[in-house]
Amino acid sequence: MTAEMVAPAWMHLQISAEQYDSWSEEQCAGIEIVDGMVVVSPSASKRHSRLARILANALDAAAGPDWNADTDFDIRLQDVPLTNRRPDVTVYRAETIDLTPTRPEHVLLVVEVVSPGSETTDRIVKVDQYAKAGIPFYWRVEQAATGVPLADGRANGIRTASGVERSCACIARVPNGAAATNTLTVSWR
């Protein structure tokens, strides 16, 4: 006897923003919506989750009172067709903490930690989607074979900085509109 895997009907239909907004937090966990279609994401490894948490903690400490850095929540890139992404780390305006959904104009930086199976999406697709949505900065963190993650920073999809070993050079906007180059050093084991 063989068992056939049959995907639920909702996985074959486009989801609207209104439908998605009516779902519980549990229903939205572990998925992203791309062009209205549900994309199931596997659970992250412990190493992936730890790296994202350490980066979020370091960014949160460095951000000051106007910005928060957190993990595992949706950013609504567009309403029609619905596209929600769930970056590994998001730096967003502190005053928007209770606004749902989080919109690109609330976000300064998104970070994606590349894992097996997410390489093309994290390296190519998401860079373009975040840039088109108007998110100013994108960091992609590669889990290198040496065990020391490598980070690549981009502003609107254009390469601006890169880091090796335990630091990541980044360009940050300051209140007067000028750009300041900073190096964020994050230690992990």
Side-chain angles (χ1 to χ4, degrees):
M1 181 184 293
T2 61
E4 286 187 43
M5 290 291 295
V6 178
W10 56 265
M11 290 189 79
H12 299 287
L13 303 172
Q14 278 193 313
I15 304 300
S16 70
E18 294 78 22
Q19 288 171 306
Y20 186 82
D21 292 343
S22 73
W23 292 359
S24 70
E25 194 171 315
E26 291 78 24
Q27 288 173 299
C28 298
I31 65 170
E32 293 180 318
I33 309 293
V34 180
D35 295 328
M37 302 302 291
V38 174
V39 177
V40 179
S41 301
S43 294
S45 69
K46 288 187 286 185
R47 181 174 303 280
H48 178 115
S49 296
R50 180 172 172 72
L51 180 54
R53 181 181 51 79
I54 289 168
L55 283 168
N57 290 347
L59 287 166
D60 199 53
D66 294 336
W67 299 95
N68 292 336
D70 286 308
T71 61
D72 198 34
F73 65 90
D74 289 338
I75 299 175
R76 174 80 43 93
L77 299 182
Q78 65 185 37
D79 288 307
V80 179
L82 179 61
T83 299
N84 282 353
R85 287 294 189 180
R86 192 173 277 245
D88 293 312
V89 179
T90 303
V91 177
Y92 62 96
R93 294 185 184 285
E95 75 254 11
T96 67
I97 192 167
D98 293 319
L99 293 180
T100 302
T102 298
R103 300 280 183 175
E105 58 268 20
H106 306 149
V107 177
L108 175 67
L109 165 72
V110 292
V111 180
E112 294 286 0
V113 178
V114 179
S115 293
S118 74
E119 295 96 335
T120 300
T121 301
D122 289 345
R123 292 178 187 150
I124 298 168
V125 176
K126 288 184 178 180
V127 174
D128 185 58
Q129 286 181 328
Y130 293 141
K132 285 180 178 172
I135 295 173
F137 300 99
Y138 176 77
W139 286 358
R140 186 187 78 232
V141 178
E142 300 278 347
Q143 298 183 65
T146 61
V148 178
L150 307 175
D152 179 40
R154 296 180 188 270
N156 286 334
I158 301 167
R159 185 180 177 115
T160 57
S162 65
V164 180
E165 301 183 334
R166 295 181 179 157
S167 63
C168 182
C170 64
I171 295 177
R173 292 187 181 157
V174 293
N176 66 6
T181 302
N182 297 310
T183 299
L184 171 67
T185 301
V186 181
S187 297
W188 55 82
R189 294 185 181 127

